[in-house]
Amino acid sequence: MAVDLLLGLQWGDEGKGKIVDVLTNNYDIIARFQGGPNAGHTLEFDGIKHVLHTIPSGIFHKNAINVVGNGVVIDPVIFKKELDNLQKFNLDIHSKLLISRKAHLILPTHRLLDAASEASKGKAKIGSTLKGIGPTYMDKTGRNGIRVGDLEMSDWEEKYRSLADKHESMIAYYDVQLDYDLKDLEDDFFEAVEELKKLTFIDSEEYLYQAQKDGKKILAEGAQGSLLDIDFGTYPYVTSSNTTAAGACTGLGVAPNQIGEVFGIFKAYATRVGSGPFPTELFDADGETMGRVGNEFGATTGRPRRCGWLDLVALKYAVQVNGVTALMMMKGDVLSGFEQLKVCTSYNYKGDIITHLPYNIDPENITPIYTEMEGWAQDLTKMDSPDQFPKNLNDYIHFLEKELGVPIKIVSVGPDRTQTIHR
Ligand code: IMP
């Protein structure tokens, strides 16, 4: 049985959590393949809003098994908080949530190193969520990391000490002012590690292989978005993992020929949080309206998100790199009330008109070229069938499908599970 994939096509915050939650009834296993607590996956149902950071978005469904894959980085302290928040729902966490032994651990000193590195960069800072993501993946590729499976070994605390000591000397090297009490941070860390050790650790690649052989349906859940991919994103303003389809293979141990559907999630407009180029960014009343109506504040950091028109050059690139087979358009309702909509269909790149994403999309090199379309005034949030869509929304959808060459199968018209229209 093939493994389906769900990932974000922009700069994250597309609404992946909601769609995983909506689709979970069709799957036996939801497996998160990369990222860590930099992610904030928001789910809303029965009038309650939930934000998950590391735990897969299928956790609220009775029958779904949730796997945290080897490509994920786990901060035990944040993980414990997520578990504490779930306590009131009486979920059978021990059998529903399985953690890969090969997932790497975020240490308190990784978070400090992230803060020191960002502070030392000044204006050139990445705008990191400061969750220790970059330093943890650096230790992974540098072959110094501590993995979940190490917690089952007798010498893991020695390994911890030697890595934390090394980090302290690296923090000193940055020569920036950081106020912290490592002893306090470590008390929280070791307490949280004890909670983590109560969960079920697995050899996840073997588990998922057997599950496929047994005909189980698996959905791989990505975090962040394709334009934040370490290889294909707007480097260096990216995260430190492969957020694109290939990341699911390395982050779960699923063979490429086992990937089935690739569901690409995008917002009907564009947002970005943190630094980095954003060709269609708006600095006017339209951008302000998108931010306000769309409630565009980071689910992890609370930072306001930058807003702009949909960029089809970038979106096409993401569709291509991921091999997207079906699209899902989120937050269509936020565009209600705009008289005119703009969609970027090409760039003026240093005087040439281009329709592909070039190496450098800094504002001094790029002017977006827009196609204008009529907006719609109708409130979409109460609609429950595509037959109710206003003509101009249908025109917008058809235009995107034609440009992208992939059908839009779901249109989301609000944050709740029920506000999801299948086409
Ligand atoms: P880091 O992954 O925390 O180091 O952040 C690197 C960049 O990715 C920053 O611009 C962050 O704002 C952005 N980023 C990381 N995770 C997310 C996410 O889940 N949604 C949106 N942006 C993210």
Side-chain angles (χ1 to χ4, degrees), residues 11-13 16 38-41 114 126-134 223-225 228 237-240 272-275 300 303 305:
W11 282 288
D13 309 317
K16 296 174 291 290
N38 49 350
H41 290 173
D114 214 358
I126 306 295
S128 162
T129 60
L130 301 180
K131 302 293 175 198
I133 305 296
Q224 289 84 49
L228 289 172
Y237 301 100
V238 292
T239 191
S240 300
R272 167 160 215 176
V273 62
S275 324
T300 299
R303 292 180 291 179
R305 297 179 186 138

Side-chain angles (χ1 to χ4, degrees), residues 92-112:
D92 178 9
I93 292 290
H94 201 263
S95 56
K96 277 175 65 76
L97 181 61
L98 312 176
I99 320 278
S100 171
R101 288 194 172 87
K102 293 195 173 81
H104 279 244
L105 291 179
I106 302 176
L107 313 187
T109 42
H110 282 131
R111 267 184 276 135
L112 296 172

Side-chain angles (χ1 to χ4, degrees), residues 197-212:
K197 281 162 84 175
K198 291 180 190 160
L199 299 181
T200 311
F201 298 165
I202 57 166
D203 298 326
S204 53
E205 62 280 28
E206 175 64 17
Y207 177 89
L208 292 173
Y209 176 72
Q210 291 300 339
Q212 283 175 72

Side-chain angles (χ1 to χ4, degrees), residues 162-210:
S162 109
L163 189 55
D165 287 348
K166 181 175 151 201
H167 288 162
E168 277 217 282
S169 56
M170 290 165 71
I171 293 164
Y173 159 83
Y174 277 109
D175 196 23
V176 294
Q177 185 64 37
L178 279 190
D179 287 328
Y180 65 91
D181 180 339
L182 187 55
K183 167 83 177 56
D184 266 5
L185 297 174
E186 287 185 338
D187 286 349
D188 287 349
F189 176 77
F190 285 112
E191 188 192 329
V193 163
E194 288 312 308
E195 289 303 308
L196 191 64
K197 281 162 84 175
K198 291 180 190 160
L199 299 181
T200 311
F201 298 165
I202 57 166
D203 298 326
S204 53
E205 62 280 28
E206 175 64 17
Y207 177 89
L208 292 173
Y209 176 72
Q210 291 300 339

